Amino acid sequence: GEIWCWGGGAFGQLGAGTDACVDNGVTPCNSETNYPPTTVSLPVGKTAVSLSDANQGHFCAILDTGEGLCWGWNNAGQLGDGTICSGGAGWDSNANNPTPAGCNSNNGRYTPAIVDDSNFPANYSIISISTGMGHSCGIIDTKDLFCWGSNSYGQLGIGSTFTGNYPIPQYVDSGVIAVATGNEHSCALYETQIVKCWGKNDQGQLGTGNLFYQNSPIPINLSSSISLISLETAYNLNCVISEENIPYC
C-alpha cells in the first residue's frame, strides 16, 4: 500500500521526493515543520507491505518485491543504498552544497532509496527492518541478519574494530528471527530462543552484566533455560518476553 508521513522534515524523513526545507538566502532549512500528511515517494509500480519504527531521523520500508526502501537522515550511510549524504550546511546558505542528488542541507535524503542488495543472495526477500540512530538492520528470508550505517560503537555487529560507516548492508549472523536497534546498540532474537546484543554498553544496555562494548553478537546474561519469544529495544535499554509470558528488562 501507500505510506503517509507528517510533522517535521528537516532530515528528509517525510520522504515525499521534495525537500521540506526552504532556503531564505541566509540559512538553507526553514519552514520544514508542521507538514500535514503527505505520501512517501515509492518506486513506480511498487507498493509497501511493512514500515519500520523510527528511532531518530530515518525510516525504512519493505516493498512488495521484497526490497528495502529507506529515507531520511543519511550522514552515516544508515539508508543502506551505498551513499552517504555530505556537504550540507544547515546554518549557512553560502556553504551549503549537499551531495549526492536527493540529499539536503542537513545531510538527509528526502528521496527514498532502494537498499543495496549486492551482499544478499539471489532471490532474497527482506522480512524485517529496524532503524537505530545512525544504523539499520534487516533480516532476509534465509534468517540471515545484515546491518549497515554507523559502526562507531560496534553497533553493526560485524566483528570489525573499524568505527567508520558502512553504507552497504553487511552480514552479521544467521538463524535470526527478530532484530531491534537502539541508539547505538542492537539486539537479535534467534530461532534457538536466545537473545544476543552488541554495540555501545555504557549503561549496561547489552545485558551482559558488565559495561564492555561489543562489536559482535554476545548472549545476554539470562539463563539459557529461559526460552524467549519477543524482543523490543529502546534508546539504551531492552526488554524480552519469555515463553511463559514473563517480561525481562
Side-chain angles (χ1 to χ4, degrees), residues 114-156:
I114 296 288
V115 174
D116 187 287
D117 61 3
S118 58
N119 286 336
F120 296 162
N123 302 314
Y124 75 93
S125 289
I126 297 176
I127 60 174
S128 179
I129 292 184
S130 181
T131 56
M133 180 172 69
H135 74 296
S136 307
C137 293
I139 305 170
I140 61 174
D141 51 356
T142 57
K143 298 179 182 177
D144 290 334
L145 174 66
F146 291 80
C147 294
W148 56 91
S150 172
N151 196 43
S152 55
Y153 296 98
Q155 60 264 49
L156 299 189

Side-chain angles (χ1 to χ4, degrees), residues 110-234:
Y110 52 84
T111 302
I114 296 288
V115 174
D116 187 287
D117 61 3
S118 58
N119 286 336
F120 296 162
N123 302 314
Y124 75 93
S125 289
I126 297 176
I127 60 174
S128 179
I129 292 184
S130 181
T131 56
M133 180 172 69
H135 74 296
S136 307
C137 293
I139 305 170
I140 61 174
D141 51 356
T142 57
K143 298 179 182 177
D144 290 334
L145 174 66
F146 291 80
C147 294
W148 56 91
S150 172
N151 196 43
S152 55
Y153 296 98
Q155 60 264 49
L156 299 189
I158 57 178
S160 174
T161 56
F162 174 65
T163 57
N165 302 317
Y166 291 82
I168 293 175
Q170 304 293 309
Y171 173 77
V172 179
D173 212 349
S174 60
V176 176
I177 58 175
V179 63
T181 51
N183 252 27
E184 293 156 328
H185 78 286
S186 310
C187 293
L189 174 63
Y190 287 72
E191 57 187 345
T192 55
Q193 295 187 287
I194 65 169
V195 165
K196 295 181 181 180
C197 297
W198 57 92
K200 194 173 185 179
N201 196 32
D202 61 325
Q203 298 187 44
Q205 55 264 55
L206 302 189
T208 55
N210 57 53
L211 298 178
F212 299 131
Y213 296 11
Q214 301 291 336
N215 59 22
S216 59
I218 185 169
I220 62 174
N221 186 25
L222 188 67
S223 172
S224 59
S225 64
I226 299 175
S227 297
L228 304 175
I229 60 172
S230 182
L231 164 70
E232 186 60 54
T233 294

Side-chain angles (χ1 to χ4, degrees), residues 33-82:
T33 61
N34 198 30
Y35 267 73
T38 182
T39 54
V40 171
S41 178
L42 300 180
V44 175
K46 300 179 181 181
T47 62
V49 298
S50 179
L51 179 64
S52 71
D53 53 359
N55 182 287
Q56 289 284 340
H58 74 289
F59 286 95
C60 292
I62 300 174
L63 301 176
D64 58 348
T65 56
E67 298 170 294
L69 183 77
C70 299
W71 63 94
W73 202 17
N74 194 38
N75 66 323
Q78 56 264 54
L79 303 190
D81 70 322

